[in-house]
Amino acid sequence: GWFNKDGSYHTGSKSTYNEKGKMSQMITYDNNNKMTSDVILTYDYDAKGNWIRAIAKWQDNSVIIEEREYIYF
């Protein structure tokens, strides 16, 4: 397990995945089976189907954006 942003200890999670097999949502739970976090993940893909931007948004509206670039030869 690990500690969540609110200080609660994570003991379980439920994940769902999009049509490309990438995680699209993860909900974590504490020892009392109370939801401690809920993150929605979305992706932008390039013409070859590789993700080039991933956006993670939590229920408190905090956001992480990760971008990457591929160079094709």
Side-chain angles (χ1 to χ4, degrees), residues 9-56:
Y9 188 70
H10 164 80
T11 59
S13 64
K14 177 182 176 185
S15 301
T16 55
Y17 297 85
N18 68 17
E19 65 282 350
K20 294 185 180 279
K22 303 299 293 177
M23 186 182 299
S24 58
Q25 182 177 26
M26 184 172 75
I27 301 171
T28 59
Y29 301 93
D30 66 13
N31 290 339
N32 297 314
N33 207 30
K34 178 184 170 207
M35 185 183 78
T36 55
S37 69
D38 182 5
V39 60
I40 302 291
L41 300 108
T42 57
Y43 304 89
D44 293 329
Y45 298 92
D46 67 9
K48 295 198 180 269
N50 294 305
W51 72 264
I52 53 173
R53 181 187 312 195
I55 301 171

